[in-house]
Amino acid sequence: MENIVFNELVGRGYSVDIGVVEHRIKTNGKSEYRQYEVDFIATDGNEKYYVQSAFEISSDEKREHELNSLKRIHDSFQKIVVLKDDIMPYKDENGIKFIGLYQFLKQDLSK
């Protein structure tokens, strides 16, 4: 599914990169850096989208894993999670948009 999402973004004319978000945590008085991967950063001029491809999110643990990187990006660009399911697009309390693969393929990212 990641290949489908990647090819669709490239086909729409976006420059596509893989991203890493670093997050610092303190445990037992020591600073530790953790890195979280963003599947795709799609850029076209002033437009930028952070896109996670998740075949399914069947548990709270899986949901947290998929959203960790997106929740740590503090800019105003849209964050999107593409799921294999046929769902109505919606945004969660963090402003992250969830969309089904079919809808993603048919819809403009800015909508």
Side-chain angles (χ1 to χ4, degrees):
M1 193 172 106
E2 277 190 16
N3 288 337
I4 293 170
V5 172
F6 174 81
N7 288 332
E8 180 66 19
L9 291 169
V10 170
R12 291 182 186 188
Y14 291 99
S15 171
V16 181
D17 295 302
I18 296 170
V20 174
V21 179
E22 285 191 344
H23 180 68
R24 186 177 74 156
I25 3 176
K26 285 193 173 189
T27 49
N28 299 327
K30 293 183 178 182
S31 286
E32 182 180 313
Y33 283 93
R34 295 214 176 142
Q35 293 184 333
Y36 301 98
E37 182 183 299
V38 178
D39 288 341
F40 306 112
I41 301 172
T43 310
D44 183 17
N46 291 332
E47 288 182 63
K48 183 188 285 188
Y49 300 93
Y50 300 100
V51 181
Q52 285 290 104
S53 172
F55 190 71
E56 65 182 356
I57 298 180
S58 55
S59 68
D60 290 339
E61 184 178 283
K62 176 71 172 165
R63 181 181 181 84
E64 190 61 27
H65 173 77
E66 293 295 340
L67 299 182
N68 257 333
S69 60
L70 297 179
K71 290 195 294 189
R72 286 171 171 72
I73 299 170
H74 301 292
D75 62 24
S76 61
F77 295 110
Q78 192 170 30
K79 294 142 187 87
I80 302 169
V81 176
V82 181
L83 302 165
K84 75 156 172 70
D85 301 321
D86 186 15
I87 62 169
M88 285 293 292
Y90 69 93
K91 286 189 178 182
D92 73 0
E93 66 277 357
N94 298 301
I96 298 170
K97 181 179 180 177
F98 290 79
I99 188 169
L101 179 60
Y102 178 76
Q103 291 81 5
F104 171 78
L105 295 172
K106 300 296 259 175
Q107 193 178 80
D108 185 340
L109 289 181
S110 63
K111 293 184 180 181

